[in-house]
């Protein structure tokens, strides 16, 4: 049948034609005209989102009907994503480092926070996505991945590159964490090359490696719970070799 495609094309009259259809040449399933200039689109077949340079976002239903009036944001959109179908959640990160998640099924804002505290010199956001539960995940080029903790109402770091000396570092490369959101984040954390890590690993003593390995597993477990992963993911994590109080 062909893959679903959401496209935007600006004409000489200054209007942008937004259309949703399949890439097999069939007529568009729906279309709309916007006077605003489109710079990002996202959709999953159930809902679609269109962000414009005027710091506006338009939302569409599966049939192409506008769900809400144009939503005004504090700045232009840098990242725009829709959750996996049948989710009706949308995430946006704006150029002023604001992060928003909206549930279009209820016309409700579920997350409104800032990623500014996560930004570091020389680092940048590389990827943003939504979990099936509607939680945002923000990945950085450094390998750090953050999500929004529903209980604490703050961004939390679910994976990072701090545990290269861990005995369980292969969890990130071998898939022991399963194939869910945690594994995706762990694989991103394993990508950056850190030359300093090699000399640091050689200088560590066995008890220190044990402590790092235990902390690594605790971080993975807490990350899985923050991402609301199912027990099948948590059960794949190997148990620590020895416990500690608390």
């Amino acid at each position: 049948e062909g893959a679903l495609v959401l496209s935007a094309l600006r004409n000489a009259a200054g209007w942008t034609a937004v259309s949703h259809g399949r890439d097999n040449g069939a007529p568009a399933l729906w279309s709309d005209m916007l006077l605003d200039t489109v710079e990002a689109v996202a959709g999953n077949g159930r809902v679609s989102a269109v962000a414009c340079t005027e710091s506006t976002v338009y939302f569409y239903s599966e049939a192409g009907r506008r769900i809400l009036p144009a939503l005004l944001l504090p700045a232009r959109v840098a990242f725009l994503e829709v959750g996996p179908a049948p989710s009706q959640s949308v995430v946006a990160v704006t150029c002023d480092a604001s992060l928003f998640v909206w549930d279009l099924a209820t016309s409700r804002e579920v997350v409104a926070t800032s990623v500014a505290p996560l930004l570091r010199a020389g680092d940048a956001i590389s990827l943003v996505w939504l979990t099936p539960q509607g939680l945002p995940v923000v990945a950085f080029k450094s390998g750090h991945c953050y999500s929004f903790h529903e209980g604490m109402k703050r961004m939390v770091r679910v994976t990072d590159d701090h545990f290269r000396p861990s005995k369980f570092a292969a969890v990130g490369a071998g898939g022991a964490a399963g194939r869910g959101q945690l594994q995706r984040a762990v694989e991103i954390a394993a990508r950056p090359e850190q030359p300093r890590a090699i000399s640091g690993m050689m200088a560590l003593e066995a008890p220190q490696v044990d402590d790092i390995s235990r902390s690594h597993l605790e971080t993975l477990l807490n990350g899985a719970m923050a991402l609301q992963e199912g027990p099948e993911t948590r059960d794949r994590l190997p148990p620590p070799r020895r416990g500690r109080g608390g």
Side-chain angles (χ1 to χ4, degrees):
E1 295 183 352
L4 288 171
V5 176
L6 182 63
S7 61
L9 180 63
R10 193 163 183 83
N11 62 27
W15 288 81
T16 301
V18 178
S19 62
H20 191 224
R22 297 190 178 275
D23 61 358
N24 58 4
L29 300 175
W30 58 261
S31 62
D32 192 19
M33 297 296 292
L34 297 176
L35 190 57
D36 292 356
T37 303
V38 175
E39 62 180 349
V41 297
N44 63 4
R46 288 291 305 277
V47 295
S48 300
V50 176
C52 302
T53 57
E54 292 79 3
S55 301
T56 53
V57 181
Y58 295 84
F59 301 112
Y60 296 90
S61 70
E62 184 175 5
R65 295 186 176 90
R66 295 193 186 189
I67 298 175
L68 293 165
L71 189 68
L72 301 179
L73 299 180
R76 292 170 61 175
V77 166
F79 292 88
L80 182 70
E81 296 292 339
V82 174
S87 169
Q88 297 187 50
S89 296
V90 180
V91 60
V93 177
T94 60
C95 293
D96 70 345
S98 298
L99 183 150
F100 302 98
V101 177
W102 305 287
D103 180 8
L104 299 184
T106 58
S107 297
R108 186 171 61 94
E109 183 179 77
V110 294
V111 176
T113 188
S114 173
V115 297
L118 315 181
L119 299 173
R120 297 291 184 270
D123 203 0
I125 296 174
S126 61
L127 191 63
V128 176
W129 77 88
L130 281 171
T131 70
Q133 293 77 24
L135 295 173
V137 182
V138 182
F140 283 75
K141 291 182 178 179
S142 62
H144 292 183
C145 290
Y146 301 83
S147 186
F148 186 80
H149 194 290
E150 288 192 322
M152 302 301 291
K153 304 299 182 186
R154 291 290 183 272
M155 298 296 289
V156 294
R157 192 168 64 204
V158 293
T159 60
D160 52 45
D161 65 343
H162 293 177
F163 299 108
R164 294 183 183 275
S166 168
K167 296 176 181 178
F168 306 108
V171 167
R179 296 185 178 275
Q181 307 305 309
L182 177 65
Q183 179 62 22
R184 183 178 182 183
V186 168
E187 290 174 351
I188 291 174
R191 291 175 187 170
E193 295 293 335
Q194 301 288 348
R196 60 176 176 79
I198 298 177
S199 58
M201 290 168 62
M202 295 176 63
L204 292 170
E205 298 179 356
Q208 295 173 322
V209 173
D210 287 341
D211 285 342
I212 292 172
S213 300
R214 183 173 54 248
S215 296
H216 185 199
L217 292 179
E218 292 169 351
T219 298
L220 289 173
L221 179 59
N222 289 327
M225 290 189 293
L227 292 169
Q228 299 181 7
E229 296 276 52
E232 66 278 359
T233 297
R234 298 194 295 269
D235 290 345
R236 288 190 180 97
L237 298 176
R241 293 185 179 274
R242 59 183 178 86
R244 69 182 170 200

Short mmCIF file of all heavy atoms in Angstrom, two decimals, residues 92-100 112-125 138 140 146 148 154-156:
data_model
loop_
_atom_site.label_atom_id
_atom_site.label_comp_id
_atom_site.label_asym_id
_atom_site.label_seq_id
_atom_site.Cartn_x
_atom_site.Cartn_y
_atom_site.Cartn_z
N ALA A 92 7.60 18.44 21.62
CA ALA A 92 8.31 19.51 20.92
C ALA A 92 9.38 20.09 21.84
O ALA A 92 9.14 20.28 23.04
CB ALA A 92 7.34 20.60 20.48
N VAL A 93 10.55 20.34 21.28
CA VAL A 93 11.60 21.08 21.96
C VAL A 93 11.82 22.35 21.16
O VAL A 93 12.05 22.30 19.94
CB VAL A 93 12.90 20.27 22.05
CG1 VAL A 93 14.01 21.11 22.70
CG2 VAL A 93 12.70 18.99 22.84
N THR A 94 11.73 23.50 21.82
CA THR A 94 11.84 24.77 21.12
C THR A 94 13.26 25.33 21.21
O THR A 94 14.09 24.85 21.98
CB THR A 94 10.84 25.78 21.70
OG1 THR A 94 11.12 25.98 23.09
CG2 THR A 94 9.42 25.28 21.55
N CYS A 95 13.51 26.37 20.44
CA CYS A 95 14.85 26.95 20.37
C CYS A 95 15.25 27.66 21.66
O CYS A 95 16.44 28.00 21.83
CB CYS A 95 14.93 27.91 19.19
SG CYS A 95 14.80 27.10 17.58
N ASP A 96 14.32 27.92 22.56
CA ASP A 96 14.67 28.49 23.86
C ASP A 96 14.81 27.41 24.92
O ASP A 96 14.81 27.71 26.11
CB ASP A 96 13.66 29.55 24.28
CG ASP A 96 12.31 28.95 24.65
OD1 ASP A 96 12.06 27.77 24.31
OD2 ASP A 96 11.50 29.66 25.30
N ALA A 97 14.92 26.13 24.50
CA ALA A 97 15.16 24.98 25.37
C ALA A 97 13.93 24.53 26.16
O ALA A 97 14.05 23.80 27.12
CB ALA A 97 16.32 25.23 26.32
N SER A 98 12.75 24.98 25.76
CA SER A 98 11.53 24.48 26.39
C SER A 98 11.17 23.13 25.81
O SER A 98 11.39 22.86 24.62
CB SER A 98 10.37 25.45 26.17
OG SER A 98 10.64 26.71 26.74
N LEU A 99 10.61 22.27 26.65
CA LEU A 99 10.14 20.96 26.21
C LEU A 99 8.69 20.80 26.61
O LEU A 99 8.31 21.05 27.76
CB LEU A 99 10.97 19.84 26.83
CG LEU A 99 10.64 18.40 26.40
CD1 LEU A 99 11.88 17.52 26.45
CD2 LEU A 99 9.55 17.76 27.26
N PHE A 100 7.86 20.41 25.63
CA PHE A 100 6.43 20.22 25.87
C PHE A 100 6.00 18.85 25.35
O PHE A 100 6.49 18.38 24.32
CB PHE A 100 5.61 21.30 25.14
CG PHE A 100 5.95 22.71 25.52
CD1 PHE A 100 6.80 23.47 24.73
CD2 PHE A 100 5.42 23.28 26.67
CE1 PHE A 100 7.12 24.77 25.06
CE2 PHE A 100 5.73 24.59 27.02
CZ PHE A 100 6.58 25.33 26.22
N ALA A 112 5.61 20.21 30.72
CA ALA A 112 6.11 21.54 30.34
C ALA A 112 7.33 21.82 31.22
O ALA A 112 7.21 22.09 32.41
CB ALA A 112 5.05 22.61 30.54
N THR A 113 8.51 21.68 30.63
CA THR A 113 9.74 21.84 31.40
C THR A 113 10.81 22.45 30.50
O THR A 113 10.53 22.84 29.37
CB THR A 113 10.20 20.47 31.97
OG1 THR A 113 11.29 20.68 32.87
CG2 THR A 113 10.60 19.53 30.87
N SER A 114 12.02 22.55 31.02
CA SER A 114 13.12 23.12 30.25
C SER A 114 14.28 22.13 30.22
O SER A 114 14.58 21.47 31.22
CB SER A 114 13.58 24.43 30.88
OG SER A 114 14.75 24.92 30.24
N VAL A 115 14.93 22.06 29.07
CA VAL A 115 16.13 21.23 28.96
C VAL A 115 17.39 22.08 29.07
O VAL A 115 18.50 21.57 28.88
CB VAL A 115 16.13 20.42 27.64
CG1 VAL A 115 14.96 19.45 27.60
CG2 VAL A 115 16.11 21.35 26.43
N ALA A 116 17.24 23.36 29.38
CA ALA A 116 18.40 24.25 29.50
C ALA A 116 19.42 23.73 30.51
O ALA A 116 20.63 23.81 30.25
CB ALA A 116 17.94 25.66 29.87
N PRO A 117 19.01 23.19 31.68
CA PRO A 117 20.02 22.69 32.63
C PRO A 117 20.81 21.50 32.10
O PRO A 117 21.86 21.16 32.66
CB PRO A 117 19.18 22.27 33.84
CG PRO A 117 17.92 23.06 33.73
CD PRO A 117 17.66 23.16 32.27
N LEU A 118 20.34 20.87 31.03
CA LEU A 118 21.02 19.70 30.48
C LEU A 118 22.09 20.08 29.47
O LEU A 118 22.93 19.25 29.11
CB LEU A 118 20.01 18.76 29.81
CG LEU A 118 18.71 18.48 30.57
CD1 LEU A 118 17.85 17.52 29.76
CD2 LEU A 118 19.00 17.91 31.95
N LEU A 119 22.05 21.31 28.98
CA LEU A 119 22.97 21.74 27.93
C LEU A 119 24.35 22.02 28.49
O LEU A 119 24.50 22.65 29.54
CB LEU A 119 22.42 22.99 27.25
CG LEU A 119 21.05 22.84 26.57
CD1 LEU A 119 20.55 24.18 26.07
CD2 LEU A 119 21.14 21.84 25.42
N ARG A 120 25.37 21.54 27.81
CA ARG A 120 26.75 21.74 28.19
C ARG A 120 27.54 22.21 26.99
O ARG A 120 27.21 21.91 25.85
CB ARG A 120 27.36 20.43 28.72
CG ARG A 120 26.71 19.89 29.98
CD ARG A 120 26.99 20.78 31.19
NE ARG A 120 26.45 20.22 32.42
CZ ARG A 120 25.22 20.46 32.87
NH1 ARG A 120 24.41 21.25 32.18
NH2 ARG A 120 24.80 19.93 33.99
N ALA A 121 28.61 22.93 27.25
CA ALA A 121 29.45 23.42 26.15
C ALA A 121 29.98 22.25 25.33
O ALA A 121 30.46 21.26 25.89
CB ALA A 121 30.61 24.25 26.72
N GLY A 122 29.87 22.36 24.02
CA GLY A 122 30.36 21.31 23.15
C GLY A 122 29.41 20.17 22.93
O GLY A 122 29.69 19.25 22.16
N ASP A 123 28.26 20.19 23.60
CA ASP A 123 27.28 19.12 23.46
C ASP A 123 26.02 19.69 22.80
O ASP A 123 25.81 20.90 22.78
CB ASP A 123 26.93 18.53 24.82
CG ASP A 123 26.39 17.11 24.73
OD1 ASP A 123 26.27 16.59 23.59
OD2 ASP A 123 26.09 16.51 25.78
N ALA A 124 25.19 18.82 22.28
CA ALA A 124 23.96 19.25 21.62
C ALA A 124 22.98 18.10 21.57
O ALA A 124 23.36 16.93 21.62
CB ALA A 124 24.25 19.75 20.21
N ILE A 125 21.71 18.44 21.48
CA ILE A 125 20.68 17.41 21.35
C ILE A 125 20.80 16.76 19.97
O ILE A 125 20.92 17.44 18.95
CB ILE A 125 19.28 18.02 21.53
CG1 ILE A 125 19.12 18.58 22.94
CG2 ILE A 125 18.19 16.99 21.26
CD1 ILE A 125 17.81 19.33 23.17
N VAL A 138 15.24 12.59 25.59
CA VAL A 138 16.11 13.53 24.90
C VAL A 138 17.52 12.97 24.92
O VAL A 138 18.08 12.75 26.00
CB VAL A 138 16.07 14.92 25.56
CG1 VAL A 138 16.96 15.90 24.79
CG2 VAL A 138 14.64 15.45 25.63
N PHE A 140 21.58 13.24 23.77
CA PHE A 140 22.62 14.20 23.42
C PHE A 140 23.76 13.51 22.68
O PHE A 140 23.94 12.30 22.79
CB PHE A 140 23.16 14.89 24.68
CG PHE A 140 22.25 15.95 25.23
CD1 PHE A 140 21.10 15.62 25.92
CD2 PHE A 140 22.53 17.29 25.03
CE1 PHE A 140 20.26 16.60 26.42
CE2 PHE A 140 21.70 18.28 25.53
CZ PHE A 140 20.56 17.94 26.22
N TYR A 146 18.05 11.61 28.63
CA TYR A 146 17.22 12.08 29.73
C TYR A 146 15.75 11.82 29.42
O TYR A 146 15.33 11.80 28.27
CB TYR A 146 17.42 13.58 29.95
CG TYR A 146 18.83 14.00 30.26
CD1 TYR A 146 19.75 14.21 29.24
CD2 TYR A 146 19.25 14.19 31.57
CE1 TYR A 146 21.05 14.59 29.51
CE2 TYR A 146 20.55 14.59 31.86
CZ TYR A 146 21.44 14.78 30.82
OH TYR A 146 22.74 15.17 31.10
N PHE A 148 11.57 12.42 31.40
CA PHE A 148 10.82 13.17 32.42
C PHE A 148 10.24 12.18 33.42
O PHE A 148 9.53 11.25 33.05
CB PHE A 148 9.69 13.96 31.76
CG PHE A 148 8.96 14.88 32.70
CD1 PHE A 148 9.50 16.10 33.05
CD2 PHE A 148 7.73 14.51 33.23
CE1 PHE A 148 8.83 16.96 33.92
CE2 PHE A 148 7.05 15.36 34.10
CZ PHE A 148 7.60 16.59 34.44
N ARG A 154 10.64 16.21 37.16
CA ARG A 154 11.92 16.75 36.72
C ARG A 154 12.51 15.83 35.67
O ARG A 154 12.17 14.65 35.58
CB ARG A 154 12.91 16.88 37.90
CG ARG A 154 12.57 17.95 38.92
CD ARG A 154 12.75 19.34 38.35
NE ARG A 154 12.49 20.38 39.35
CZ ARG A 154 11.30 20.90 39.60
NH1 ARG A 154 10.25 20.48 38.92
NH2 ARG A 154 11.16 21.83 40.51
N MET A 155 13.43 16.37 34.87
CA MET A 155 14.18 15.55 33.94
C MET A 155 15.19 14.71 34.71
O MET A 155 15.84 15.21 35.64
CB MET A 155 14.89 16.41 32.90
CG MET A 155 13.96 17.23 32.01
SD MET A 155 12.89 16.22 30.96
CE MET A 155 14.08 15.57 29.78
N VAL A 156 15.33 13.45 34.35
CA VAL A 156 16.29 12.56 34.99
C VAL A 156 17.16 11.93 33.90
O VAL A 156 16.72 11.70 32.78
CB VAL A 156 15.60 11.46 35.82
CG1 VAL A 156 14.87 12.06 37.02
CG2 VAL A 156 14.63 10.66 34.97
#
